[in-house]
Amino acid sequence: MTSLSAKDKDTVKAFWAKVAGKEEQIGCDAVSRMLTVYPQTKTYFSHWKDLRPGSAPVKKHGATVMTAVTDAVSKIDDLTGGLLSLSELHAFTLRVDPANFKVLAHNLLVVLATVFPNDFTPEVHVAMDKFLAAVARALSEKYR
Amino acid sequence: MVVWTDFERTAIQDIFSKIDYAVVGQAAFSRCLIVYPWTQRYFGGFGNLYNAAAITSNPRVASHGKVIMEALEKAVKDMNNIKATYAELSALHSEKLQVDPDNFMLLGHCLTIVVASQLSKAFTPEVHAAFQKFLAVVVSSLRKQYY
């Protein structure tokens, strides 16, 4: 779709700075919601012992996802290059249907809205939505 | 027919009893126009939608947001008959307004985000799932009359 403007990138960087320290809580909540609200996503985690909200594997995976998103923020000027190996991982090993990237992105936005009710303004929302869509595109690069 | 658990029914009725339709409607609808700007195509007569500030302060956006919430309330009041409740609205959106039905869930996403920011911790993953199910049923009912 559209690419990130300079304003989008500044908005994302400024907002994401507020996330510092809350990554675990946010990541855990986002993954928990994804598995609960969109149960089809559970199919990718059949190897986990416990898929309930807030469980140990969910918490751990939430942290993994958040570390990756924070990394993507730092590579916002070249997401395709910066996320190359992650794209290969998702394409060849994990084989996640790219449609699910949107699902996790939406759940992350919902969590951000609960944690930052005043800071998650419509302007921040659109910049973050565009950013996560760009991350999803970069992750889809190696699929075919 | 859609089967609602007691938890789901209570969760949805609870959400709608807690939210202010004018506030949430305005916030959700304006967010939709800002975050998914192509949805503005259906509101050519609404005046200034030029930027986020204009959309947020636009009185027609505010009043239409409230209209949407009141229409959703109809579904909440008769959760066993959502398809029938929206038969007319579905025909309206399809034949007269000619709205691409993929847009319905975009508004749904924005509404979820606004409700989440209002209810905060009370909007647990389980409540969120119930709300998502409700929105999916509403969207599906609105899509019914399209051909």
Side-chain angles (χ1 to χ4, degrees):
Chain A
M1 242 197 266
T2 51
S3 53
L4 299 169
S5 68
K7 181 162 174 259
D8 290 328
K9 292 181 190 177
D10 286 341
T11 305
V12 169
K13 284 191 251 190
F15 177 73
W16 202 255
K18 299 180 205 279
V19 164
K22 297 191 166 78
E23 289 93 342
E24 246 199 50
Q25 166 205 347
I26 291 173
C28 178
D29 197 0
V31 174
S32 298
R33 277 173 201 276
M34 180 186 77
L35 298 169
T36 310
V37 182
Y38 300 90
Q40 69 266 21
T41 57
K42 289 197 283 193
T43 56
Y44 292 99
F45 304 102
S46 49
H47 55 287
W48 286 356
K49 282 202 164 58
D50 187 353
L51 284 154
R52 289 170 304 174
S55 71
V58 167
K59 218 186 280 189
K60 180 161 174 262
H61 199 61
T64 305
V65 167
M66 288 299 280
T67 304
V69 177
T70 302
D71 184 51
V73 174
S74 73
K75 294 172 174 163
I76 203 167
D77 290 318
D78 180 20
L79 287 170
T80 309
L83 299 180
L84 197 67
S85 52
L86 261 182
S87 180
E88 283 172 353
L89 176 74
H90 284 76
F92 304 131
T93 311
L94 303 176
R95 305 244 177 100
V96 176
D97 186 329
N100 292 302
F101 298 149
K102 235 185 282 186
V103 174
L104 180 55
H106 171 64
N107 284 289
L108 180 52
L109 295 179
V110 171
V111 174
L112 293 172
T114 60
V115 176
F116 302 105
N118 298 316
D119 291 313
F120 195 63
T121 61
E123 291 85 343
V124 168
H125 179 170
V126 61
M128 282 300 305
D129 194 56
K130 283 175 76 174
F131 168 66
L132 292 174
V135 168
R137 269 199 310 279
L139 280 178
S140 309
E141 268 297 310
K142 289 300 189 182
Y143 271 70
R144 53 177 180 174
Chain B
M1 204 192 79
V2 184
V3 178
W4 303 99
T5 64
D6 289 337
F7 173 82
E8 286 165 345
R9 255 180 227 279
T10 310
I12 290 153
Q13 282 158 1
D14 202 48
I15 290 171
F16 276 81
S17 71
K18 287 198 168 97
I19 57 178
D20 178 321
Y21 289 3
V23 169
V24 168
Q26 188 272 344
F29 182 47
S30 57
R31 237 170 235 265
C32 186
L33 297 171
I34 293 167
V35 179
Y36 308 108
W38 53 92
T39 56
Q40 291 170 24
R41 76 188 300 279
Y42 303 111
F43 303 100
F46 271 36
N48 187 359
L49 297 178
Y50 192 59
N51 53 35
I55 292 169
T56 309
S57 57
N58 185 313
R60 290 204 59 183
V61 169
S63 66
H64 196 63
K66 190 158 174 248
V67 163
I68 293 169
M69 296 308 294
E70 283 160 354
L72 284 172
E73 187 190 52
K74 291 203 176 96
V76 177
K77 288 206 151 102
D78 192 5
M79 286 174 67
N80 290 337
N81 290 301
I82 295 178
K83 194 163 77 178
T85 302
Y86 286 144
E88 244 185 75
L89 265 177
S90 176
L92 175 77
H93 282 75
S94 151
E95 285 157 33
K96 183 157 173 258
L97 305 175
Q98 294 182 331
V99 176
D100 180 346
D102 286 345
N103 289 312
F104 297 148
M105 200 36 99
L106 297 182
L107 178 57
H109 285 330
C110 291
L111 183 55
T112 304
I113 279 168
V114 170
V115 167
S117 67
Q118 294 257 316
L119 300 183
S120 195
K121 288 229 156 19
F123 196 63
T124 63
E126 291 80 6
V127 169
H128 179 176
F131 193 64
Q132 181 59 34
K133 180 173 165 180
F134 172 73
L135 289 175
V137 172
V138 166
V139 166
S140 163
S141 304
L142 278 175
R143 293 183 88 116
K144 273 285 181 276
Q145 300 302 323
Y146 280 74
Y147 59 89

